[in-house]
Coordinates of all heavy atoms in Angstrom, one line a residue:
N163 N 12.5 22.9 -13.0 CA 13.3 23.7 -14.1 C 12.8 23.3 -15.5 O 12.5 22.1 -15.7 CB 14.8 23.5 -13.9 CG 15.3 24.1 -12.6 OD1 14.7 24.9 -12.1 ND2 16.4 23.6 -12.2
G164 N 12.7 24.3 -16.3 CA 12.2 24.0 -17.7 C 10.7 24.2 -17.8 O 10.1 23.9 -18.9
G165 N 10.0 24.5 -16.8 CA 8.5 24.8 -16.8 C 7.7 23.6 -16.5 O 6.5 23.6 -16.6
D166 N 8.3 22.4 -16.4 CA 7.5 21.2 -16.1 C 6.9 21.3 -14.7 O 7.5 21.9 -13.8 CB 8.4 19.9 -16.1 CG 8.8 19.6 -17.5 OD1 8.2 20.1 -18.5 OD2 9.8 18.9 -17.6
V167 N 5.8 20.8 -14.5 CA 5.0 20.7 -13.3 C 4.7 19.3 -12.9 O 4.3 18.5 -13.8 CB 3.7 21.6 -13.3 CG1 2.9 21.4 -12.0 CG2 4.0 23.0 -13.6
R168 N 5.0 18.9 -11.6 CA 4.8 17.5 -11.2 C 3.9 17.5 -10.0 O 4.2 18.3 -9.1 CB 6.1 16.9 -11.0 CG 6.0 15.4 -10.7 CD 7.4 14.7 -10.7 NE 7.2 13.4 -10.4 CZ 8.1 12.4 -10.7 NH1 9.1 12.7 -11.5 NH2 7.8 11.2 -10.5
M169 N 3.0 16.7 -9.9 CA 2.2 16.5 -8.7 C 2.8 15.4 -7.8 O 3.0 14.3 -8.3 CB 0.7 16.2 -9.1 CG -0.2 16.1 -7.9 SD -0.4 17.8 -7.1 CE -1.3 18.7 -8.3
V170 N 3.2 15.7 -6.7 CA 3.8 14.8 -5.8 C 2.8 14.5 -4.7 O 2.4 15.3 -3.9 CB 5.1 15.4 -5.2 CG1 5.8 14.4 -4.3 CG2 6.1 15.9 -6.3
K171 N 2.4 13.2 -4.7 CA 1.4 12.8 -3.8 C 1.7 12.2 -2.5 O 1.0 11.9 -1.6 CB 0.4 11.8 -4.6 CG -0.3 12.5 -5.7 CD -1.0 11.5 -6.5 CE -1.6 12.2 -7.7 NZ -2.4 11.1 -8.6
G172 N 3.1 11.7 -2.4 CA 3.6 11.1 -1.2 C 5.0 10.8 -1.3 O 5.7 11.2 -2.2
P173 N 5.5 10.1 -0.2 CA 7.0 9.9 -0.1 C 7.5 9.1 -1.4 O 8.6 9.3 -1.8 CB 7.1 9.0 1.1 CG 5.9 9.4 1.9 CD 4.8 9.7 1.0
S174 N 6.7 8.2 -1.9 CA 7.3 7.4 -3.0 C 7.4 8.3 -4.3 O 8.4 8.3 -5.0 CB 6.3 6.2 -3.5 OG 6.3 5.3 -2.4
D175 N 6.5 9.2 -4.5 CA 6.6 10.2 -5.7 C 7.7 11.1 -5.3 O 8.5 11.5 -6.3 CB 5.2 11.0 -5.7 CG 4.1 10.3 -6.4 OD1 4.3 9.2 -6.9 OD2 2.9 10.8 -6.2
A176 N 7.9 11.5 -4.1 CA 8.9 12.4 -3.7 C 10.3 11.8 -4.1 O 11.2 12.5 -4.5 CB 8.8 12.8 -2.3
L177 N 10.4 10.6 -3.6 CA 11.7 9.9 -3.9 C 12.1 9.8 -5.4 O 13.2 10.1 -5.8 CB 11.8 8.4 -3.3 CG 12.0 8.3 -1.8 CD1 11.8 6.9 -1.4 CD2 13.4 8.8 -1.5
A178 N 11.1 9.5 -6.2 CA 11.3 9.5 -7.6 C 11.6 10.8 -8.2 O 12.6 11.0 -9.0 CB 10.0 8.9 -8.3
C179 N 11.0 11.9 -7.7 CA 11.3 13.2 -8.1 C 12.7 13.6 -7.7 O 13.5 14.2 -8.4 CB 10.2 14.2 -7.5 SG 10.2 15.7 -8.2
L180 N 13.1 13.4 -6.4 CA 14.4 13.7 -5.9 C 15.5 13.0 -6.8 O 16.6 13.5 -7.0 CB 14.5 13.3 -4.5 CG 13.7 14.1 -3.4 CD1 13.6 13.4 -2.1 CD2 14.4 15.5 -3.2
A181 N 15.2 11.7 -7.1 CA 16.2 11.0 -7.9 C 16.4 11.4 -9.3 O 17.5 11.5 -9.8 CB 15.9 9.5 -7.8
D182 N 15.2 11.7 -10.0 CA 15.2 12.1 -11.4 C 15.2 13.5 -11.8 O 15.6 13.8 -12.9 CB 14.0 11.4 -12.1 CG 14.0 9.9 -11.9 OD1 15.2 9.3 -11.6 OD2 12.9 9.3 -11.9
H183 N 14.8 14.4 -11.0 CA 14.5 15.8 -11.4 C 15.1 16.9 -10.5 O 14.8 18.0 -10.7 CB 13.0 16.0 -11.5 CG 12.3 15.0 -12.4 ND1 12.4 15.1 -13.7 CD2 11.5 14.0 -12.1 CE1 11.7 14.1 -14.2 NE2 11.1 13.5 -13.3
W184 N 16.0 16.5 -9.6 CA 16.4 17.5 -8.6 C 17.6 18.3 -9.1 O 18.6 17.7 -9.4 CB 16.7 16.8 -7.3 CG 16.2 17.6 -6.1 CD1 17.0 18.4 -5.3 CD2 14.8 17.9 -5.8 NE1 16.2 19.0 -4.4 CE2 14.9 18.8 -4.7 CE3 13.6 17.6 -6.4 CZ2 13.7 19.2 -4.1 CZ3 12.5 18.0 -5.8 CH2 12.5 18.9 -4.7
P185 N 17.6 19.6 -9.1 CA 18.7 20.4 -9.7 C 19.8 20.6 -8.7 O 20.9 20.9 -9.1 CB 18.0 21.7 -10.0 CG 16.9 21.8 -9.0 CD 16.4 20.4 -8.9
Y186 N 19.5 20.5 -7.4 CA 20.5 20.8 -6.3 C 20.5 19.9 -5.2 O 19.4 19.6 -4.6 CB 20.4 22.3 -5.8 CG 21.3 22.6 -4.7 CD1 22.6 22.8 -4.9 CD2 20.8 22.7 -3.4 CE1 23.5 23.1 -3.9 CE2 21.7 23.0 -2.4 CZ 23.0 23.2 -2.7 OH 23.9 23.5 -1.6
R187 N 21.5 19.2 -4.9 CA 21.5 18.1 -3.8 C 22.2 18.6 -2.6 O 23.4 18.3 -2.4 CB 22.1 16.9 -4.4 CG 21.1 16.3 -5.5 CD 21.6 15.1 -6.2 NE 20.6 14.7 -7.2 CZ 20.4 13.5 -7.6 NH1 21.3 12.6 -7.2 NH2 19.6 13.3 -8.5
G188 N 21.6 19.4 -1.8 CA 22.2 19.9 -0.5 C 21.7 19.2 0.6 O 21.2 18.1 0.5
P189 N 21.9 19.7 1.8 CA 21.6 19.1 3.1 C 20.1 18.7 3.2 O 19.7 17.6 3.7 CB 22.0 20.0 4.2 CG 23.0 21.0 3.5 CD 22.6 21.0 2.0
Y190 N 19.2 19.6 2.8 CA 17.8 19.3 2.8 C 17.4 18.2 1.8 O 16.5 17.4 2.1 CB 16.9 20.5 2.6 CG 16.8 21.4 3.8 CD1 17.4 22.6 3.9 CD2 16.2 20.9 5.0 CE1 17.3 23.4 5.0 CE2 16.1 21.8 6.1 CZ 16.7 23.0 6.1 OH 16.7 23.7 7.3
Y191 N 18.1 18.1 0.7 CA 17.9 17.0 -0.2 C 18.1 15.7 0.4 O 17.3 14.8 0.4 CB 18.7 17.2 -1.5 CG 18.9 15.9 -2.4 CD1 17.9 15.7 -3.3 CD2 19.8 15.0 -2.1 CE1 18.0 14.6 -4.1 CE2 19.9 13.9 -2.9 CZ 19.0 13.7 -3.9 OH 19.1 12.6 -4.7
V192 N 19.3 15.6 1.1 CA 19.7 14.4 1.8 C 18.6 14.1 2.9 O 18.2 12.9 3.0 CB 21.1 14.5 2.4 CG1 21.5 13.2 3.2 CG2 22.1 14.7 1.2

Side-chain angles (χ1 to χ4, degrees):
N163 292 338
D166 291 338
V167 176
R168 183 168 182 156
M169 188 63 68
V170 183
K171 298 176 183 177
S174 294
D175 286 348
L177 279 175
C179 193
L180 288 164
D182 298 335
H183 304 289
W184 221 250
Y186 175 72
R187 296 181 178 198
Y190 281 113
Y191 165 87
V192 174

